[in-house]
Amino acid sequence: MTQTDKDRVLIFDTTLRDGEQSPGATMSHNEKMEIATLLDEMGVDIIEAGFPIASIGDFEAVSEIAKLAKTATICGLARANIGDIDRCWEAVKHAKSPRIHTFIGTSPLHRAIPNLDMDQMAERIHDTVTHARNLCDNVQWSPMDATRTEHDYLCRVVEIAIKAGATTINIPDTVGYTIPRESAELIEMLRNRVPGADDIIFATHCHNDLGMATANALAAVEAGARQIECTINGLGERAGNTALEEVVMALKIRHDRMPFGTKIDTTKIMNISRRVAQVAGFPVQYNKAIVGKNAFAHESGIHQDGMLKNAETFEIMRPQDVGLSGTSLPLGKHSGRAALRAKLDELGFALADNQLKDVFVRFKELADRKKEVFDEDLMALLRDSGAAEQNERIKVKHLRVVCGTQSPQTADITLEVDGVDHPMTCEGDGPVDATFKAIKAIFPTTARLQLYQVHAVTEGTDAQATVSVRLEEDGKIVTGQSSDTDTVVASAKAYVNAMNRLLVRREKSAPDADVKTVKYTDAG
Ligand code: KIV
Ligand code: ZN
C-alpha cells in the first residue's frame, strides 16, 4: 500500500512486544502463539511479535510466529546496530511477509545515552537502515521520543532513513507527552518538509501517560498517518499504548468524520481482549471503553427505560459489533458436553476434543460446588486449564487451612515440584499468610509480593474468587491469577502461578539483553 490509498489505515499490533514489556505482563511461548493466531485471524495487518535479540525465548517466539502467520506481516524489533538487525532478520525471515523494525532515540535526552552527537547519530541511522534494507524489502524505522525531538533534526533523520530504504516511518510518542493537535501537526510538518515523504507510510505510536493515546493516534491519521501502532486492551509500558479496540471502533463508528477503514473483524475483539487479559494477568478495568465489563451495561432507570424503547438512545454501537452475544444464560450441573461446547463457541473459544474433555471435567467439578456457572466462571476456568496445560513446574496438590477467631491460623499444603511431592505446614497471620509462608518454605525465592488482590467473578456467596498475585524479583515482575470458590485455594494457586511465570522469565532473560534495559538505556 502507498500513501495514495487514502482511506485505508494499517493496524500494527504490538501486544506481543510493547505490551509484553509492561511490568508483570509476561506470556509463555504457547500463549504468544495463541495470541498471534487470534491477531492474524482478526485481520491485523502487521504483528510486532517481539524483540529477537532480547532473549532466546523472544527469538524463538518471533521465528515461530513468522512461520505460523497466514496473512499478517510479521515484524521484529531491533536497536540501531548490526547485531540486533541480523538477529531480527534471522527470526522474521520465515514469514510470508517479513518486516524489520529498527529504532534509535533521537531527542536530546535520548541522544545523550549512547553519547552520539547529531552527525554521528545521523550516520548510524543511515548505516543501520541501509543494512536492514539489504536484508529485507520491508523496513520500518522509528525515531524514539520523536515528539520531544527538535523538528529540524527530526526532518533530517527521517529523510536519511527514507533515502536509506525505510518503507515505513513510525513517529513514537514514547513518553505519552503529546496532545492531539500537536500529534497532527507533527505528521503534517514531516509530510510537507521531508523529501520522499509521499513514497512511504507514516505510522503513529502513542503511549497513554496523559490518557490521550487514542485521540493522538486518530489525530495523526487525520493528518496523513496510515498505520496505527496499538495493543489489545491498551497493554503496554506504564499507562500503556493506544488500545486497538478503541481506534478500530472509533474509525468504524465515526466514519462520517474519519473516512478511513481497517481490515479488522470487529466481532473478534471481545474474545481476544479476554484472552490477552487472562494470559497477561492484566484484568480489564470495568469501565474501559469497548471491552470493559460495563461498556454495554445500563444501570440507571432512565437509561434502562430508554434502552428498552430504542437501543440507540444510549448505545452508539451494538454489543454484537464487538463480539458480545448480549444474552448470557448460565450453565448448571445438568448441562452436558454439547451445551458446554456451544457456550464456549459463543464465547469465541474453539477447543480441540481433548481440551474440551479436560475443561468438561473441571466444569462438572465447579458446577457441583456452584449452582449456576456464568460466562465469567467459564472464562476463569479456561484460564486455569490453560495454566495447567503449560506443564507448570510447581502445582498445588493439596491444601487445608485452619482459621477463625483463634490464632494461630495454619496451612497444611502439598506442592508438586518437578513431579515430586513436598508437604509443609506453617502458621501465619491469617490463612493466606500461612499458605504463602508454606509455599515459600517449600520453594524459597527472593521474590517480593507487590500485589495481592481478590475479586468476585460473579455475584452470590458461592461466587468464585479470582486472585491476582504480583511478584517482583531483580526488576522482573510477573502476575499470577487463579479462581476458585474457595478464596484461600485461589490464593495459593495464583501465588504458584506467579512463581511458575517467574521461572519462565528467569529462563528467558539473557543477562546482557533484558528488554527494559535495552529499550531505554542503550539504543545502540
Ligand atoms: O515507545 C516507543 O518509542 C517504542 C519504540 C521502540 C518504537 O516502543
Ligand atoms: Zn512504545
Side-chain angles (χ1 to χ4, degrees), residues 17-18 77 101 103 142 144 170 172 174 205 207 519-520:
R17 199 277 299 167
D18 216 330
L77 186 68
H101 176 193
F103 74 100
S142 295
M144 185 162 79
N170 176 35
T174 305
H205 176 110
H207 282 265
K519 190 178 169 211
Y520 287 110

